[in-house]
Amino acid sequence: MYRTSLLFFSFLLGWFIVPAQLPDTAIREAEAARIMGVLASDSLKGRGNLQPAQWKAAAFISEEFRKYRLRPLPGQHGYFIPFQPFGGPWLVTDSLHWNGRPVHGDYFLYLPAGPGAYAPKTMADFAVVRVDSFPADLLQQGWPSGTNLLLWTPKRAEERQNQFPEFRGRSTALSQNILLVYADEAPAALRLEAQPDYSRLAWNIVGVLPGRSRATEVVLFSAHYDHMGVVKDRGRDSIMNGANDNASGTTGLLLLADYFARRGDNERTLIFCAFAGEELGMTGSAKLVDYLSTDRIMAGINLEMIGVPQYGKKKVFITGEKYSSLPGMLRKGLTKAGIRVMTEPDENKQLFLRSDNYPFVKQEVPVHTIMASDDDDPCYHRPCDEVKRIDIANLTAIARAVAAAAAGLISGHDTPGRVRTADLPY
């Protein structure tokens, strides 16, 4: 699989936002309530993996990233990165018929603005533009607005790897669907369809906030947005809304992404990851680790179940404290920000191994999870895990404290040591 070298972040050194000195109170309770209200709503049907409602959740998160002006990963045209939770060869996910004849996959590329399957599309669905070539800054050309754009050219490149432009560094996330086609004749009719294998894909949502003086060094923020979906035979309420697990962590992630984007003073590059597949054995984070080169990730903070103050208000714990120096750094910052950091309640629960930090840890990256509750919460993996249980004020206070505690990581002042994999239990 293609591995995105984080060295490509060096191109971002010339891209700056004027820093805005925002207090942590700019992380607002009202915004937390808005995001939580969407992610844990009945309309998203528990955000079950490989379910259409999860695609809606992914689209919501990607639109939030676009609002914050985050960039896609280098080499990606948008924020959503598909993966197969259950493995197997890469899938051909689209088919195209052009003037009644099938087009080989080497000669067309569909760039959707959002994740998930889509209804078949015909000529009537596209604004059509003939071009001499596909420019490298494809997404900044001021094309006709609308839901779908078809760009086609008869001038094929000789080499397959040169058929389509790369989007490294010069793209923003898509705001419309774009179909690129090499064809010998103009389109009189077409049919674009999502292959049935779309149902076997899940989607990580990843946005980048470029750094300033230390842009090739990365700090990771993450949370999983998937949950259990709809479960039959659970009485009248069969929707597993997953408000605490883990709409709360995803809400915290979005609050932090918005806050740091508005500040614009991060010296290191920040990557924000919303993972699918956690409830399937952390498959989403494991796939992203395979995709990335991890040597430039200095540290990471994963947010999990921060919506219910199971151990008391303004109290959290950090998993796997003994495996790197990062928890000690975070403990100081969280304490200074008014959050009490407890000792991990029960190490036998193996929480350090059971959340999306762990695939990174196995690659020696110090990534730890901050939690306010665990699987002893009475509504863990039950339909009663709903928005009405969430302490929005406490969640917001935790997000503010995480922002403050991460300041040294983001500026480059603090750098924890790498994880010694020989010390890990598995």
Side-chain angles (χ1 to χ4, degrees):
M1 182 179 291
Y2 178 74
R3 293 172 65 87
T4 298
S5 172
L6 294 178
L7 287 172
F8 281 120
F9 284 108
S10 60
F11 76 82
L12 298 169
L13 284 168
W15 185 85
F16 295 99
I17 299 175
V18 177
Q21 296 302 314
L22 292 177
D24 61 11
T25 52
I27 299 176
R28 301 181 298 272
E29 290 183 26
E31 186 68 355
R34 179 188 70 85
I35 295 168
M36 175 63 68
V38 174
L39 290 175
S41 66
D42 283 354
S43 65
L44 293 187
K45 303 294 183 183
R47 307 182 306 281
N49 286 289
L50 306 182
Q51 299 299 314
Q54 189 185 72
W55 300 337
K56 294 179 182 178
F60 170 76
I61 295 166
S62 62
E63 177 59 21
E64 293 297 297
F65 281 180
R66 193 175 73 84
K67 283 167 47 180
Y68 309 154
R69 297 181 61 205
L70 302 186
R71 293 193 173 192
L73 280 172
Q76 294 294 316
H77 64 271
Y79 302 122
F80 51 94
I81 301 177
F83 67 95
Q84 292 177 258
F86 302 112
W90 184 245
L91 301 171
V92 177
T93 53
D94 307 289
S95 67
L96 176 66
H97 280 72
W98 185 272
N99 297 340
R101 295 185 296 275
V103 179
H104 191 279
D106 284 355
Y107 299 113
F108 78 94
L109 178 65
Y110 183 52
L111 305 177
Y118 54 90
K121 302 185 186 304
T122 65
M123 283 287 294
D125 295 308
F126 290 94
V128 181
V129 179
R130 175 174 171 165
V131 295
D132 290 332
S133 62
F134 300 128
D137 56 349
L138 174 70
L139 308 182
Q140 298 176 350
Q141 291 292 310
W143 304 110
S145 62
T147 303
N148 304 302
L149 174 66
L150 166 61
L151 305 178
W152 76 278
T153 179
K155 298 182 179 180
R156 297 182 183 176
E158 293 182 2
E159 300 290 338
R160 168 65 189 95
Q161 59 266 31
N162 295 326
Q163 291 284 5
F164 298 104
E166 296 182 353
F167 304 120
R168 288 193 184 98
R170 288 178 280 186
S171 67
T172 56
L174 291 175
S175 59
Q176 64 188 124
N177 306 317
I178 301 178
L179 174 62
L180 310 178
V181 183
Y182 289 95
D184 294 329
E185 57 186 16
L190 68 83
R191 185 176 178 84
L192 177 71
E193 295 182 270
Q195 297 281 63
D197 285 334
Y198 256 111
S199 63
R200 293 169 55 191
L201 293 178
W203 310 80
N204 291 325
I205 315 301
V206 184
V208 179
L209 183 62
R212 290 154 54 88
S213 65
R214 303 178 72 164
T216 60
E217 299 176 356
V218 172
V219 178
L220 178 77
F221 292 89
S222 64
H224 76 89
Y225 72 96
D226 64 310
H227 194 55
M228 307 296 291
V230 177
V231 180
K232 296 180 180 180
D233 302 323
R234 287 295 183 103
R236 288 181 296 177
D237 187 359
S238 60
I239 298 176
M240 307 281 278
N241 298 83
N244 191 37
D245 181 18
N246 188 34
S248 66
T250 306
T251 297
L253 177 73
L254 293 177
L255 292 174
L256 292 172
D258 180 28
Y259 175 69
F260 289 126
R262 285 187 286 145
R263 284 187 64 99
D265 60 355
N266 51 298
E267 301 299 331
R268 284 172 166 159
T269 291
L270 309 184
I271 298 182
F272 299 91
C273 303
F275 295 118
E278 193 270 354
E279 302 290 0
L280 299 176
M282 304 176 295
T283 53
S285 51
K287 291 291 185 179
L288 194 69
V289 167
D290 286 344
Y291 185 85
L292 293 174
S293 172
T294 55
D295 59 328
R296 295 288 177 174
I297 303 179
M298 301 294 103
I301 299 172
N302 186 56
L303 300 176
E304 177 89 43
M305 296 175 67
I306 60 172
V308 173
Q310 180 179 334
Y311 295 97
K313 290 182 181 294
K314 295 190 176 181
K315 291 182 180 180
V316 299
F317 60 90
I318 304 172
T319 64
E321 287 188 279
K322 66 183 181 183
Y323 293 109
S324 88
S325 58
L326 176 60
M329 295 176 180
L330 295 176
R331 177 184 288 269
K332 292 178 182 178
L334 290 167
T335 301
K336 186 176 180 180
I339 298 295
R340 179 183 171 187
V341 181
M342 307 163 44
T343 301
E344 188 172 345
D346 185 353
E347 197 169 337
N348 291 327
K349 293 181 180 179
Q350 300 182 338
L351 298 172
F352 184 55
L353 284 67
R354 292 170 50 204
S355 196
D356 285 309
N357 60 284
Y358 202 64
F360 293 89
V361 168
K362 291 195 291 185
Q363 298 298 317
E364 302 183 347
V365 185
V367 183
H368 293 256
T369 298
I370 294 175
M371 305 182 70
S373 56
D374 56 36
D375 47 13
D376 281 339
D377 174 64
C379 287
Y380 175 74
H381 282 194
R382 295 183 62 195
C384 59
D385 186 6
E386 296 183 330
V387 172
K388 62 186 179 183
R389 301 179 63 245
I390 301 301
D391 189 329
I392 291 293
N394 196 66
L395 187 160
T396 305
I398 292 171
R400 290 172 178 169
V402 170
L409 298 172
I410 291 169
S411 68
H413 182 268
D414 294 336
T415 303
R418 308 302 277 183
V419 175
R420 282 173 42 87
T421 55
D423 295 338
L424 297 176
Y426 298 101

